[in-house]
Amino acid sequence: MAPSTTSGARVVALANQKGGVAKTTSVASLGAAFAECGRNVLLVDLDPQACLTFSLGVDPDDVETSVNEVLLGRAEVSDAVIRCDDGFDLLPSVIDLAGAEAMLLPRPGREYVLRTALEASRAAYDVILLDCSPSLGVITLNALTAADALIVPMPCEMLSHRGVGQLLDTVADVQKILNRDLEVWGVLPTLFDGRSRHAHEVLADVGARYELSVLEPPIPKTVRFAEAPAIGRSILATARSSKGAEAYRQVAASLLERL
Ligand code: ADP
Ligand code: MG
């Protein structure tokens, strides 16, 4: 992998315009796994539904300075970050991030505001993970423009890869116009049922079909993931030695050398 052109953190976006594919779960879990390895980690909640913020025990209604103010140039990242018990920092969202999307639209250079805002914070972190909303709107374009790399979480279920082609078309446009250096690190298979032959077939097919790397191991489907957000911690804390936590640790370990 080419080293980052800017010193400091590698910025990695987790994006897929489908909802429910484990973007948010993967951001929290990989963030916790990188933190366990001693890395300085920042997670950015770019979803107006604020699920990442909420799942880490922060009530979006109590957030005074959010990613919203940062995107609109009214606050620095460092003014808005919250330290979480999992050992990483969070740039929280609030429910009206949808308003930020609308306010950004008429602005020149609107795709670059996140990249610019993160510049001052890159030196403070080793890795910055961007949790995207289920859309390909201007905030997701900001994420792809700010990112060094993209991971596409994808459940190993029939039809779950529909839409991946559209995402990759957007990525190709971003690489042409907005961010030449964006690397696609690959698909992260999620919600994987190892007993299902179909899941194995989807897993085998998706890499070849889209000429994408498939990160390993796949993240198993387990009920332990449903419990973690209610406790306000990632699964690495709520179910330390579960198969799901272990899988995320292994994926994180495989990515460490690229950071
Ligand atoms: P997204 O951010 O893509 O919308 P989420 O991370 O919010 O997806 O996950 C959607 C739902 O799936 C959540 O209820 C989450 O708890 C659950 N989930 C995520 N990963 C797993 C898994 N490996 N096993 C079981 N449930 C999971
Ligand atoms: Mg989400």
Side-chain angles (χ1 to χ4, degrees):
M1 285 302 139
S4 171
T5 46
T6 320
S7 63
R10 293 282 267 174
V11 181
V12 184
L14 280 84
N16 183 333
Q17 73 276 32
K18 284 188 98 161
V21 300
K23 291 181 291 295
T24 299
T25 304
S26 299
V27 165
S29 304
L30 291 174
F34 287 135
E36 279 184 357
C37 295
R39 304 301 161 112
N40 290 320
V41 182
L42 172 65
L43 308 185
V44 182
D45 190 349
L46 291 171
D47 188 342
Q49 293 182 51
C51 290
L52 178 67
T53 299
F54 192 76
S55 74
L56 294 172
V58 177
D59 184 342
D61 290 339
D62 295 338
V63 169
E64 277 179 22
T65 310
S66 72
V67 69
N68 219 343
E69 283 72 45
V70 171
L71 288 172
L72 297 175
R74 295 173 188 158
E76 301 290 326
V77 172
S78 55
D79 297 330
V81 292
I82 296 171
R83 186 71 182 168
C84 296
D85 292 339
D86 279 87
F88 44 64
D89 283 353
L90 168 71
L91 178 52
S93 181
V94 285
I95 304 298
D96 66 345
L97 187 57
E101 180 119 11
M103 287 179 77
L104 283 178
L105 272 177
R107 292 201 174 184
R110 64 196 175 195
E111 291 93 354
Y112 292 95
V113 293
L114 180 63
R115 185 183 185 96
T116 306
L118 288 176
E119 215 51 66
S121 295
R122 280 178 89 131
Y125 298 99
D126 300 309
V127 56
I128 300 175
L129 300 179
L130 309 178
D131 183 23
C132 293
S133 71
S135 92
L136 291 173
V138 67
I139 304 229
T140 298
L141 289 177
N142 263 274
L144 295 174
T145 303
D148 300 301
L150 168 69
I151 293 173
V152 184
M154 206 200 80
C156 305
E157 284 159 12
M158 192 168 69
L159 303 182
S160 63
H161 58 75
R162 286 180 66 92
V164 170
Q166 192 191 359
L167 174 62
L168 293 177
D169 287 347
T170 302
V171 167
D173 287 344
V174 167
Q175 286 167 326
K176 249 183 264 160
I177 302 163
L178 298 166
N179 180 10
R180 216 174 270 265
D181 298 327
L182 177 64
E183 296 173 5
V184 180
W185 280 358
V187 167
L188 174 62
T190 55
L191 295 150
F192 182 69
D193 177 1
R195 295 163 306 177
S196 150
R197 203 182 61 164
H198 174 67
H200 286 279
E201 285 167 1
V202 171
L203 191 58
D205 173 68
V206 70
R209 183 188 294 246
Y210 298 102
E211 294 180 8
L212 288 173
S213 302
V214 177
L215 302 176
E216 288 184 53
I219 308 300
K221 193 178 206 169
T222 138
V223 291
R224 306 309 293 270
F225 282 98
E227 303 161 4
I231 301 168
R233 299 286 302 271
S234 81
I235 189 177
L236 271 73
T238 59
R240 277 204 66 76
S241 48
S242 63
K243 281 188 187 152
E246 221 21 76
Y248 274 116
R249 284 193 190 95
Q250 286 176 36
V251 171
S254 77
L255 297 175
L256 272 182
E257 65 189 34
R258 303 190 193 184
L259 297 182

